[in-house]
Amino acid sequence: MATVPVDDREPTPGSHPLGQEPPLAPAPPVSAASLGPPPPTDTVRGWIVAITLALVALVVRFTDLGRITDGGTPVFDEKHYVPQAWQMLRNGGVEDNPGFELIVHPPLGKQLIALGEFLFGYDGFGWRAAAAFSGTLAVLLIVRVARRLTRSTLLGGIAGVLLICDGLSHVQSRMGMLDAFAALFVLAAFATLLRDRDDVRERMALVVAQGRIGDSPYGPRLGWRWWRLATGVLLGLGCAVKWSGLYWLAAFAVLAVLWDLTARRAAGVERPWKGTVVRDLAPALWALALVPVLAYLAGWWAWFGNETAIDRYAASGPAFLPPALRALAYYSGQVLDFHAGLTTTVSGEHPWESKPWSWPMGLRPMLYYFASGDQVTGCGTDDCISAVMLIGTPALWWPAFGVLGWAVWRVVTRHDWRYAAVLVGYGAGVVPWLLNVDRQMYFFYMTPVVPFLVLGTVLVMGEMLGRATAPRERRQTGVLLVGLWVGLVVANFAWMWPIMNGLPITQEMWDAQLWLPSWRAKS
């Protein structure tokens, strides 16, 4: 809020009428520039960078995509989702009813896997194609998101390189599982929410420039906000892939309201808090509460319309709901009971489970596939190994606590909204899992979090680069440090390529890839 200067000089005789205080000087007008810098102007170059890196990602994600299978069948948790997706193709869009509650996630992710199987067949390539395409789109999105967040096409391009070279994103984009889809919807929702923030501030800047910001103490009405509506749709679809999308739905809803508040304050609205409640809260509830529910229910279209869908005609849900929704509520309750019982105490310890405090640095990866001996040839010896390990690229993941610590520092000391947004997105994927540490949890839960790790890293790299107007030596030093860091991530990814893609390697090479004791299977 602009401060009002006060004239503290002693009044001269006759300078104002007897018994009246001298008037205060008027507050300086709010500048439209105070609502934030405009986006970069190199629009064409920005899209060239994004599309080029997406094409690189397409090659990297799809190379030898279908080679690793378990004798022609899916590997690891693909064994759940890939057959269920194939059932959807034969059964009107829903899984076959097996007579017991085995279907434990909403249908949208499996429907997307089914689309790949429909196009390419029931083989390793077919059941992984949709996930690989999602991983490719995520690279395109993160270039655009980072560019908008930093106002730098260079940093946007660096974000794309880092996501391409992240081991967790790479492997999970090459598996017929649900997490690559969840990550795509979360990142897309963040992109549209970020675009909505800029759109709101552009509208506010126009009102300020026209001198109408004081027409109401609550500030202007903002009209239809299509980007925020898109955010609600994408978050609802994310929940239709996995219920963990609820964490980002809640986090992004709070973030959106806070951004509305800060926009009104920056514009000089007289009563920004009440203005946010009066002008923004009800539309936010519509866009980020009701719309996601409708989008989520739309993901169940086949279940609603199919006679053989699991629990389709169960009627023991809440009485105030229509019969179809009562049946869905009952089915969802059964699924919730399954997840509630999926604990270490009840189900035992899974060999590759991990807890959230180990996730930021990727201390406990997962082994998806392993073969040795006569099953593997091509490494130049008689004792070859082929393995697919879900592992974050250490050069990107190991500095995570430093990146997060710097982000917290910037938020506390500079109120930097960019770091705050990254922390919200990152925290939504980690903090809720700390509330029930007895539950079986796995490193692949971090798949939707990786884009926020990349964005936080890119923001730190931007600090290292410094402003374009910085002294030449300062700028050159920053370019050197960032170049070395990015080069280290790329080299680290290349080094671990064999164990992320199942290439034949020697026993010695396998041992050299396992840097930490926690990367090995428990004996």
Side-chain angles (χ1 to χ4, degrees), residues 349-496:
E349 183 178 5
H350 189 281
W352 289 102
E353 73 171 281
S354 58
K355 299 304 179 185
W357 48 81
S358 71
W359 294 347
M361 292 180 64
L363 298 181
R364 183 60 176 163
M366 303 184 69
L367 188 63
Y368 280 173
Y369 173 83
F370 185 87
S372 61
D374 295 338
Q375 304 175 63
V376 185
T377 59
C379 70
T381 72
D382 294 333
D383 188 17
C384 297
I385 287 174
S386 174
V388 176
M389 178 168 277
L390 182 74
I391 186 167
T393 304
L396 176 64
W397 284 74
W398 287 4
F401 281 120
V403 169
L404 296 173
W406 178 255
V408 171
W409 174 255
R410 289 286 297 185
V411 171
V412 171
T413 61
R414 300 292 182 89
H415 307 294
D416 194 320
W417 69 270
R418 304 169 304 162
Y419 286 97
V422 169
L423 287 172
V424 167
Y426 190 100
V430 177
V431 173
W433 297 104
L434 294 169
L435 303 179
N436 182 16
V437 296
D438 187 43
R439 192 189 187 281
Q440 286 186 354
M441 290 176 275
Y442 306 95
F443 186 44
F444 60 76
Y445 291 3
M446 285 289 281
T447 308
V449 180
V450 176
F452 299 100
L453 171 62
V454 168
L455 292 172
T457 302
V458 165
L459 287 174
V460 171
M461 288 180 174
E463 305 271 1
M464 296 168 64
L465 283 173
R467 296 182 179 275
T469 56
R472 181 180 178 184
E473 290 186 1
R474 163 69 179 83
R475 185 72 172 175
Q476 288 178 336
T477 301
V479 170
L480 175 63
L481 292 174
V482 171
L484 288 174
W485 192 352
V486 174
L488 186 60
V489 172
V490 174
N492 197 179
F493 179 72
W495 166 261
M496 292 186 161

Side-chain angles (χ1 to χ4, degrees), residues 202-278:
E202 289 168 7
R203 298 186 193 190
M204 285 287 189
L206 179 61
V207 174
V208 169
Q210 294 173 345
R212 297 188 292 108
I213 199 66
D215 289 356
S216 167
Y218 306 139
R221 300 180 186 275
L222 296 172
W224 280 99
R225 293 166 58 175
W226 299 105
W227 289 108
R228 185 172 63 179
L229 189 67
T231 301
V233 172
L234 290 165
L235 289 169
L237 295 177
C239 293
V241 173
K242 270 192 165 184
W243 283 353
S244 55
L246 284 168
Y247 304 145
W248 282 278
L249 174 58
F252 288 175
V254 173
L255 192 61
V257 174
L258 289 177
W259 281 351
D260 289 345
L261 170 63
T262 56
R264 292 186 182 275
R265 290 184 62 185
V269 171
E270 182 181 340
R271 304 182 68 180
W273 285 89
K274 192 166 185 179
T276 301
V277 172
V278 171

